[in-house]
Amino acid sequence: KGLFVTLEISGWAMVLTLVFGLTTTLLRRSNSLSGRFLARCYLEVIRNTPLLVQLYLFYFVMAPILGLSRTLTGILALAAFEGAFAAEIIRAGIEAVHRSQWDAARSLGLSLAQTYRLVVLPQAVQMMLPPMAGLFVSLIKHSAIVSTIAIFDLTNEARNVISETFMSFEIWLTTAAIYLVLTISLSVAVSRLEAHYKRKKY
């Protein structure tokens, strides 16, 4: 039961991480001074404060104001934290695309949005896959922290079983093995996706 909760939280957090990361990257690369300022503030605040403190801020400050559930609060806190690091990965991937690609898109009369969608991002994805896989693995491991706000994920359910059986070693070893299976499975899936892009390219 706790595993399914962890998968749900991690899955939604991954989707929002990409949204936060891409939005932040586009704001940083935009001509808007306020957009660049907001993106920079977001990055500095998130990267220079602990995840646990951010989770408590979301849970005790934002959640009561916005009426968010515990699960949604945990998802948003994880996505906001990992999104700051995803933004740097996406930015590096976009900037790695050769300038000639941008010039070619402009010569074809493509708008900036079309250039990103049809030319730049498809090429940047392949370069972003390895570091993004590492980020998602980190996200799955960080998801255990939502147990501190009474979300019954894998870690919290493990605590409950230990309190009933007093089998600390066996339960924590099993829990660690489950997390290991999740992260290895994700790494394998991303590796296959990366190989697919390489075959498609050549």
Side-chain angles (χ1 to χ4, degrees):
K1 183 179 178 181
L3 174 60
F4 290 139
V5 174
T6 293
L7 290 173
E8 179 186 7
I9 291 174
S10 300
W12 284 110
M14 286 179 189
V15 174
L16 289 178
T17 292
L18 293 175
V19 173
F20 288 163
L22 182 58
T23 302
T24 303
T25 299
L26 295 179
L27 286 175
R28 285 192 67 186
R29 294 178 56 84
S30 70
N31 296 323
S32 170
L33 183 61
S34 59
R36 293 198 303 271
F37 176 76
L38 286 174
R40 193 65 189 175
C41 287
Y42 164 71
L43 291 173
E44 293 300 326
V45 169
I46 294 297
R47 290 188 300 183
N48 293 293
T49 53
L51 174 56
L52 183 59
V53 173
Q54 295 172 27
L55 180 62
Y56 284 153
L57 284 174
F58 271 86
Y59 184 64
F60 291 110
V61 179
M62 291 185 61
I65 295 174
L66 301 176
L68 303 178
S69 66
R70 289 175 181 174
T71 301
L72 184 55
T73 301
I75 291 171
L76 288 175
L78 281 172
F81 180 78
E82 303 294 349
F85 298 93
E88 292 301 298
I89 295 173
I90 295 172
R91 181 183 63 83
I94 289 175
E95 292 181 354
V97 176
H98 199 275
R99 190 65 200 176
S100 62
Q101 300 296 308
W102 295 85
D103 296 336
R106 190 180 299 110
S107 67
L108 291 173
L110 298 181
S111 65
L112 183 60
Q114 290 174 321
T115 300
Y116 273 115
R117 182 169 59 89
L118 301 175
V119 180
V120 177
L121 288 178
Q123 297 182 63
V125 164
Q126 184 178 339
M127 291 175 278
M128 292 188 292
L129 279 177
M132 199 63 77
L135 182 71
F136 286 157
V137 167
S138 177
L139 188 152
I140 291 176
K141 293 185 291 184
H142 286 159
S143 69
I145 204 171
V146 301
S147 62
T148 60
I149 59 173
I151 294 177
F152 294 98
D153 68 327
L154 185 59
T155 302
N156 215 350
E157 292 290 5
R159 288 200 190 106
N160 293 337
V161 175
I162 289 171
S163 67
E164 295 172 0
T165 63
F166 303 101
M167 299 171 64
S168 299
F169 176 77
E170 294 88 342
I171 299 303
W172 285 127
L173 187 63
T174 302
T175 303
I178 293 174
Y179 276 112
L180 185 63
V181 169
L182 288 178
T183 54
I184 290 178
S185 299
L186 178 61
S187 298
V188 170
V190 173
S191 296
R192 289 184 175 179
L193 185 60
E194 186 179 2
H196 169 73
Y197 269 98
K198 287 182 178 179
R199 288 195 302 269
K200 188 176 180 180
K201 181 178 180 181
Y202 297 108

